[in-house]
Amino acid sequence: MERINESLFVKRGNTNVGVIEYEGKRYLIDTGSNEKFAKEISEEVGRIDFVFNTHSHADHIQGNRFFALKGASIYADERERFLIENPSMESFYLYGANPPKALKRSFFEAKESQVKSFSDFKMSGFEFVPLPGHSVGMTGIRFGNVLFCGDAYFGEEIVKKYLYPYLINVKEFINSIEKIENSNMDLYIPSHGQPSSDPSHDIKATKDALNNFISMTFDLLKTPKSVEEICFEMNVPLNFGTFYLFRSFESAILSYLEEKGEISNISYGKWAKI
Ligand SMILES: [Zn+2]
């Protein structure tokens, strides 16, 4: 657990988690990527009163049930709340139907937990900052001049490792990044990467990776292709499960290019440059 200031700590892990002590209550920003991590947090800091989930992806909520059973109240954006309470919907929407075995693993599906909406959180001291794009209702959590950014951008080393910045809406993702660039916080804490007072380097790496995939996708559409054909032609290491994540990412790029008037459906399921 790293101390950031007198009331704020960060526990670094596969997914960074924040701990805030404020007016006699203890708050947790996300609950980590496995229950072991959640138990470690609990042993290090003790009782957690409130959990704020930045979004519903399994690696951010795997400890929810652990803290809920210990009496914590969990809050999230209204749209993310539905997915946290119904975790099988996460892999359902990635696949588009009853998901196959590869998507029924804990990497994609956490255990469900009961969640309240941010709009029902009535105590002061926190601001919930909408940062959609990576997921439908991803929300940054601002405390003082510190912003927990969730997956609005990724650390440069994470981008290098995974190659593509997962998102479901390109335009919203870019707008959310701009919102962060135009803000003036003392510290930005991404869920995957280093906390920093100046995240411009990580943001540039994230944007460069996205722009690279947008232009590679556009270039491939000199001849008509389906989203799957585009995925097969990209040199991204995938497995049976992550293929569907990547297909979702590429699907977002295709609808973005269509909105910009640069590509269209040339026949059903096939895209091409206009
Ligand atoms: Zn995520």
Side-chain angles (χ1 to χ4, degrees):
M1 195 76 64
E2 289 169 36
R3 179 185 277 273
I4 303 292
N5 60 37
E6 59 176 25
S7 51
L8 200 157
F9 304 81
V10 171
K11 186 169 169 67
R12 303 288 304 277
N14 290 339
T15 306
N16 299 330
V17 162
V19 177
I20 295 166
E21 292 174 340
Y22 179 65
E23 294 191 339
K25 302 284 183 201
R26 211 171 275 133
Y27 298 78
L28 195 57
I29 316 295
D30 285 334
T31 59
S33 59
N34 58 66
E35 213 169 280
K36 185 171 163 277
F37 192 74
K39 279 183 192 145
E40 284 171 20
I41 297 167
S42 178
E43 280 161 17
E44 285 174 63
V45 303
R47 184 189 159 81
I48 296 293
D49 300 290
F50 298 101
V51 167
F52 297 146
N53 286 141
T54 57
H55 63 299
S56 59
H57 290 160
D59 58 328
H60 295 253
I61 66 166
Q62 293 282 16
N64 274 23
R65 180 181 284 199
F66 175 86
F67 289 107
L69 288 172
K70 287 182 169 290
S73 300
I74 301 173
Y75 288 82
D77 168 88
E78 184 61 29
R79 288 158 297 177
E80 300 289 333
R81 178 189 141 180
F82 170 77
L83 293 164
I84 300 168
E85 291 187 339
N86 301 277
S88 66
M89 292 311 290
E90 203 84 60
S91 43
F92 190 95
Y93 81 67
L94 271 182
Y95 187 65
N98 179 40
K101 267 194 293 192
L103 293 178
K104 287 185 171 167
R105 296 184 290 118
S106 64
F107 181 77
F108 296 101
E109 282 189 20
K111 291 176 188 148
E112 81 272 11
S113 47
Q114 292 304 303
V115 182
K116 296 174 190 157
S117 177
F118 282 142
S119 54
D120 294 328
F121 187 80
K122 297 298 177 213
M123 280 143 88
S124 62
F126 296 90
E127 186 189 344
F128 302 114
V129 182
L131 297 173
H134 171 75
S135 67
V136 282
M138 202 181 69
T139 305
I141 315 293
R142 179 180 174 178
F143 176 72
N145 233 15
V146 174
L147 183 64
F148 288 88
C149 302
D151 292 352
Y153 68 91
F154 303 94
E156 191 183 16
E157 67 286 357
I158 303 291
V159 176
K160 273 193 186 136
K161 185 173 171 194
Y162 293 100
L163 301 179
Y164 66 97
Y166 180 73
L167 49 77
I168 47 94
N169 187 316
V170 175
K171 207 193 261 175
E172 286 184 355
F173 188 85
I174 292 169
N175 289 343
S176 293
I177 281 189
E178 266 171 22
K179 198 186 267 187
I180 291 175
E181 287 176 316
N182 293 331
S183 68
N184 190 17
M185 298 285 136
D186 293 335
L187 189 69
Y188 298 84
I189 304 175
S191 297
H192 309 284
Q194 300 268 6
S196 171
S197 57
D198 176 13
S200 56
H201 206 68
D202 292 331
I203 285 178
K204 183 177 183 309
T206 304
K207 277 184 174 172
D208 285 352
L210 173 58
N211 287 329
N212 189 28
F213 275 96
I214 292 172
S215 64
M216 283 194 296
T217 303
F218 185 65
D219 288 345
L220 280 173
L221 293 178
K222 281 185 205 113
T223 54
K225 285 182 185 67
S226 68
V227 64
E228 280 87 1
E229 285 172 314
I230 293 166
C231 293
F232 298 145
E233 293 212 23
M234 299 278 185
N235 225 350
V236 175
L238 301 169
N239 61 36
F240 292 162
T242 56
F243 167 72
Y244 294 104
L245 268 185
F246 186 61
R247 187 183 68 166
S248 164
F249 168 76
E250 275 297 333
S251 299
I253 289 182
L254 290 170
S255 52
Y256 172 70
L257 287 172
E258 185 194 41
E259 274 169 18
K260 286 186 24 172
E262 295 183 7
I263 66 168
S264 71
N265 275 133
I266 205 88
S267 60
Y268 53 82
K270 296 253 186 187
W271 297 89
K273 285 185 188 182
I274 289 174

